Amino acid sequence: MNPPAGVDIIDANDFKVWKLGLAGAPATLYEGEKFQLEFNFGPNYPLESPQVLFVGDNVPIHPHIYSNGHICLDVLYNHWSPVQTVASICLSLQSMLSSCTSKERPPDNATYVKTARSNPKHTAWAFHDDTV
Amino acid sequence: MDFDITDPSDWPKEFGPLREIDSHLRCPICKEYLRAAMMLQCHHNFCSECIRRHLDKESTCPACRVSTSTSQLRRNVSLEEIANNFGDVRQLLLKTVRESLEPKSAPAQTLECAESMDIDDFTPQQKRRRISARVGKALLSAQRGRTHESDDNDHDDDFTMHSQESSSGRKYSTRSSTRPVLRSRGGRSETTPTEQVPNPQSASSSQTSSYSLSEEHTSASEQASPTPAKESTFKHTLVACPVCTMAIPEANTNSHLDKYCFSGKQDPIYNVALSVVETYSPQAIATYEKDGSSKSVSLPASPQRNTLRSAFSSSPVRFNGFAQQPSKLGAQSGAAPIPEPKRLPKLTYSVLNDKQLRKKLQELGLPTHGDKQLMQRRHAEYLTLYNANCDSTRPQTIAQLHKAMDNWERTYMRDLNAKDAQRRAQEEQQQKYAQELAQQKQQEDAASTDVTNLPSSQSSNSGTTGTGFVPNQANNNDVNVAIASQAAQAHKLKNADNYNDLIADIRRRQQREKDAKAKAALEANDAASAPIQPPPQEEL
């Protein structure tokens, strides 16, 4: 297994749950930070997307990442394609973090975190920001 | 995770194109070698089964999202054959590639060291490092013994001469073992580079500079396990070709593979299996090593054919050169006169009733139990498997398909049960939570009624209770009222859950209104970014 740069495997010993470490890319707002990602693979992976969220103490402060770790990223939900891999998701997340210009939580963070289910795939996401 | 999972990264870095080939022969969905490769009109290739499953859910190409459908699928037979054959030969090829890296790097090192020898003296450490990479311990210890001698300059020559004279005829010529001899005498170092030239001549030239180990070393080396790498160092330089198992001088391995094995031809010079060669006398082996089987009279040519054939019949590897042989190949390839099986048509499940669906399943020889949903899934699964099997150049039998269906059935039921269990556990937890909440509420309410103001405690939810009966503390002395109040309280406790829900609902509505206002204000301020979170549909 060869994880891409900035990604290290914390625990990938079963086929259902993987934990990966994601390092903030150099020369970005998240440089030097370490995050933890959790991948939950359903029985229909890769035809269905895995459930991906940030876990641990340090959830990146980003306009598309909620404080409960849920990530608003289209490729994780209705734009998922079975050719995507864990590596490609990590790359997408790196790119999403790297293009961030101001560290802030989403404006509706408080409400969402209160009402959201534990599985982000049950949320009806609206994707509108094409700049990241 | 110690499964037999192959990956393009298995190939050494030096063979980058092989990595590319490997990854291109894999299905981007399942990451296995393409099984029944199918091409879409956007020229992306997938396993038949994978793409069929995907197209059941979505009508786009997984790679480029161009809209497409099952009718656009076309078989890519040559790609499939390439993938099949590459998969078959992979293990062998990987072994060859890895082995080829070892001797390749060794001569380069020799050259480099031979040059450096002229400038400065080699150290025993240098030597030991090189040796340990390829040679077993027995030889290493022999080498160490020699190191002392070669350090004493002139003794070296004597030693070599002596050992050649006392040679039993069986020569143990290995590059690593000849190196010290060559290097300690600068005059002969030019013979080293010729070892790289892969022709019989070089083999013989390396022989002239070879020395034989004394008998005890021989026995030690023979005890060592005869893995191909070690064989080359302990015995004659003959090694078994990893593809055709013929005995070839080690230096010639690459040219032999390139010229003959990989193009499906037979090496005219070295065409006797190593196991056969080893049964001959040392002289005969030496002759064979030098000139191949063409000049060695004592070597019969017959056994090689058998070995060659048996080498391939044991594995499903098929090479161009052997394709003409009457084999199962004919039956498997698309050129066979077997008519292509018909694909099963898709059914519109919504217009079929249970009975009709059951009949369809029965016609296919599938189990007919379960509700309509299960039957529907079963039929769809079999359709995918069956149609994908039709696309394959190595199709399975119907029996095998049915076995796969049995597996599917088991997995499906297991998943279903697991999901069921999960749901039940969730429900139980929710119930427990609700009960706890109700109990809490009960206790609170009990406390509040005991202490003083029942009306005020009720007033908070008076809008929802709506019983119309508000017990009054002032009338408490009235027995009737007291009883009525108790009844009201009992009613409230009984319906605690409903009340809790109603209260929660009201609070949520209020909160939502507030949020909407806040959001409107925010959006007015800052129209940028962030996902709009539509109100969760059935959140509680």
Side-chain angles (χ1 to χ4, degrees):
Chain A
M1 278 184 280
N2 305 302
V7 179
D8 58 300
I9 296 162
I10 296 169
D11 179 22
N13 289 321
D14 85 48
F15 287 129
K16 286 182 178 162
V17 186
W18 281 18
K19 280 206 170 147
L20 303 184
L22 191 72
T28 65
L29 292 177
Y30 301 92
E31 181 170 2
E33 287 190 68
K34 285 282 264 173
F35 310 109
Q36 257 192 52
L37 275 171
E38 190 181 281
F39 285 72
N40 277 282
F41 303 98
N44 289 329
Y45 177 85
L47 292 176
E48 277 171 21
S49 66
Q51 181 187 323
V52 184
L53 34 96
F54 280 102
V55 291
D57 309 326
N58 193 13
V59 171
I61 297 174
H62 185 280
H64 298 310
I65 298 169
Y66 292 89
S67 53
N68 59 357
H70 288 199
I71 306 159
C72 178
L73 182 66
D74 59 352
V75 294
L76 294 180
Y77 310 104
N78 52 359
H79 278 215
W80 167 257
S81 149
V83 302
Q84 277 166 322
T85 59
V86 172
S88 74
I89 293 171
C90 288
L91 201 68
S92 297
L93 288 173
Q94 285 275 28
S95 130
M96 181 174 140
L97 290 179
S98 301
S99 58
C100 174
T101 49
S102 67
K103 272 184 159 185
E104 55 187 22
R105 289 267 181 236
D108 57 340
N109 186 51
T111 346
Y112 177 75
V113 170
K114 239 186 268 169
T115 56
R117 307 237 210 126
S118 63
N119 184 352
K121 289 175 80 177
H122 290 303
T123 304
W125 297 94
F127 309 103
H128 60 101
D129 186 358
D130 290 334
T131 58
V132 290
Chain B
M1 280 214 295
D2 210 21
F3 302 101
D4 193 18
I5 296 173
T6 62
D7 190 77
S9 60
D10 294 345
W11 300 100
K13 273 199 287 296
E14 292 82 349
F15 288 79
L18 271 178
R19 280 190 183 188
E20 285 294 305
I21 293 170
D22 190 294
S23 62
H24 277 101
L25 292 178
R26 285 171 188 271
C27 166
I29 295 180
C30 66
K31 318 285 189 276
E32 302 279 341
Y33 286 120
L34 285 160
R35 291 164 299 156
M38 297 300 266
M39 188 162 67
L40 290 168
Q41 81 271 35
C42 52
H43 309 300
H44 289 114
N45 290 285
F46 306 93
C47 294
S48 180
E49 198 183 314
C50 295
I51 190 65
R52 281 172 191 279
R53 279 185 204 286
H54 172 77
L55 291 178
D56 276 350
K57 296 159 68 84
E58 253 178 82
S59 305
T60 56
C61 166
C64 62
R65 298 187 202 278
V66 165
S67 68
T68 185
S69 68
T70 335
S71 59
Q72 303 276 0
L73 288 172
R74 292 288 175 273
R75 289 179 68 182
N76 195 342
V77 179
S78 33
L79 185 66
E80 189 197 348
E81 285 289 8
I82 295 170
N84 282 344
N85 285 301
F86 191 77
D88 288 343
V89 82
R90 184 183 209 272
Q91 219 184 343
L92 212 58
L93 191 56
L94 192 60
K95 204 175 132 205
T96 316
V97 159
R98 283 183 178 155
E99 274 171 13
S100 78
L101 278 178
E102 289 174 31
K104 242 186 199 169
S105 57
Q109 267 182 351
T110 319
L111 196 62
E112 169 195 300
C113 297
E115 280 161 4
S116 68
M117 262 311 300
D118 297 331
I119 303 159
D120 49 55
D121 277 335
F122 66 94
T123 60
Q125 282 91 346
Q126 245 185 328
K127 221 182 341 174
R128 225 166 283 152
R129 180 175 53 79
R130 277 193 303 276
I131 293 158
S132 60
R134 294 175 60 234
V135 187
K137 273 182 190 159
L139 194 56
L140 191 64
S141 60
Q143 209 79 76
R144 280 199 191 124
R146 285 181 43 73
T147 310
H148 295 297
E149 284 190 74
S150 55
D151 284 346
D152 304 338
N153 290 326
D154 293 329
H155 293 286
D156 190 43
D157 231 337
D158 298 340
F159 176 82
T160 316
M161 293 307 293
H162 168 75
S163 57
Q164 271 180 346
E165 279 161 15
S166 71
S167 151
S168 60
R170 193 165 178 176
K171 296 193 171 169
Y172 293 87
S173 145
T174 71
R175 273 185 240 139
S176 55
S177 59
T178 49
R179 249 176 256 138
V181 186
L182 293 172
R183 260 181 255 114
S184 54
R185 277 167 285 118
R188 275 221 223 155
S189 62
E190 76 272 12
T191 55
T192 316
T194 60
E195 282 182 12
Q196 288 177 95
V197 185
N199 61 39
Q201 214 84 58
S202 76
S204 61
S205 79
S206 71
Q207 255 179 14
T208 56
S209 62
S210 67
Y211 71 98
S212 351
L213 294 170
S214 58
E215 271 317 303
E216 68 215 63
H217 293 141
T218 312
S219 58
S221 65
E222 270 169 1
Q223 276 164 10
S225 65
T227 60
K230 277 179 183 166
E231 241 167 12
S232 65
T233 41
F234 286 132
K235 298 176 182 175
H236 41 72
T237 64
L238 289 174
V239 292
C241 166
V243 178
C244 66
T245 70
M246 298 300 127
I248 315 148
E250 196 186 0
N252 292 23
T253 323
N254 286 332
S255 63
H256 163 84
L257 283 172
D258 291 342
K259 259 195 234 161
Y260 305 110
C261 277
F262 288 156
S263 52
K265 286 180 215 147
Q266 218 186 12
D267 194 327
I269 302 169
Y270 296 104
N271 53 6
V272 179
L274 185 64
S275 50
V276 179
V277 173
E278 277 176 334
T279 60
Y280 292 108
S281 68
Q283 286 88 350
I285 294 176
T287 322
Y288 175 81
E289 193 176 358
K290 206 166 150 189
D291 302 315
S293 61
S294 52
K295 286 193 186 164
S296 45
V297 272
S298 59
L299 299 181
S302 55
Q304 34 141 340
R305 289 256 162 225
N306 292 335
T307 334
L308 195 65
R309 201 161 295 171
S310 65
F312 287 102
S313 60
S314 59
S315 71
V317 182
R318 283 175 273 134
F319 282 96
N320 303 344
F322 305 101
Q324 292 88 346
Q325 286 177 5
S327 69
K328 50 192 174 177
L329 178 69
Q332 280 172 355
S333 75
I338 298 167
E340 210 173 80
K342 279 240 162 72
R343 312 280 187 278
L344 290 173
K346 266 189 188 166
L347 296 180
T348 318
Y349 298 114
S350 53
V351 300
L352 291 174
N353 61 27
D354 285 21
K355 208 175 153 192
Q356 287 167 315
L357 190 55
R358 201 160 284 142
K359 203 178 152 200
K360 291 275 180 198
L361 287 172
Q362 207 161 21
E363 282 168 12
L364 295 170
L366 294 172
T368 53
H369 60 83
D371 57 0
K372 189 177 175 186
Q373 201 198 2
L374 176 59
M375 288 197 287
Q376 199 173 310
R377 296 238 175 146
R378 187 183 292 137
H379 189 268
E381 174 71 18
Y382 186 72
L383 219 65
T384 309
L385 287 184
Y386 184 89
N387 288 346
N389 194 43
C390 292
D391 297 328
S392 176
T393 51
R394 296 182 182 182
Q396 293 180 304
T397 61
I398 297 295
Q400 278 170 315
L401 286 186
H402 280 238
K403 212 174 166 189
M405 282 306 291
D406 285 346
N407 261 334
W408 173 86
E409 203 93 24
R410 268 198 296 277
T411 332
Y412 182 81
M413 289 319 281
R414 206 180 49 213
D415 282 354
L416 209 68
N417 289 338
K419 251 186 215 168
D420 222 40
Q422 207 180 352
R423 211 192 52 227
R424 241 178 287 143
Q426 228 166 17
E427 271 175 10
E428 258 170 46
Q429 212 170 11
Q430 271 175 1
Q431 261 177 10
K432 220 169 137 188
Y433 183 66
Q435 273 172 5
E436 267 171 33
L437 255 179
Q439 269 172 7
Q440 262 182 18
K441 195 82 190 161
Q442 250 179 43
Q443 282 165 3
E444 272 172 32
D445 286 348
S448 62
T449 35
D450 281 352
V451 180
T452 40
N453 45 356
L454 181 63
S456 73
S457 85
Q458 287 229 316
S459 72
S460 68
N461 47 29
S462 59
T464 53
T465 51
T467 51
F469 181 85
V470 182
N472 195 334
Q473 183 80 26
N475 299 337
N476 242 3
N477 50 359
D478 191 329
V479 179
N480 287 331
V481 173
I483 293 166
S485 140
Q486 269 171 7
Q489 189 64 27
H491 167 80
K492 196 185 151 202
L493 289 180
K494 210 169 92 188
N495 299 307
D497 277 358
N498 296 343
Y499 290 138
N500 286 337
D501 288 349
L502 285 168
I503 294 163
D505 195 36
I506 288 168
R507 286 200 185 132
R508 200 175 310 115
R509 253 182 246 167
Q510 285 170 346
Q511 181 69 38
R512 209 175 289 165
E513 273 167 25
K514 253 191 239 166
D515 284 335
K517 270 183 208 162
K519 200 190 264 178
L522 259 172
E523 271 171 3
N525 289 343
D526 172 22
S529 66
I532 294 161
Q533 166 71 48
Q537 300 92 342
E538 18 67 84
E539 276 300 338
L540 268 186

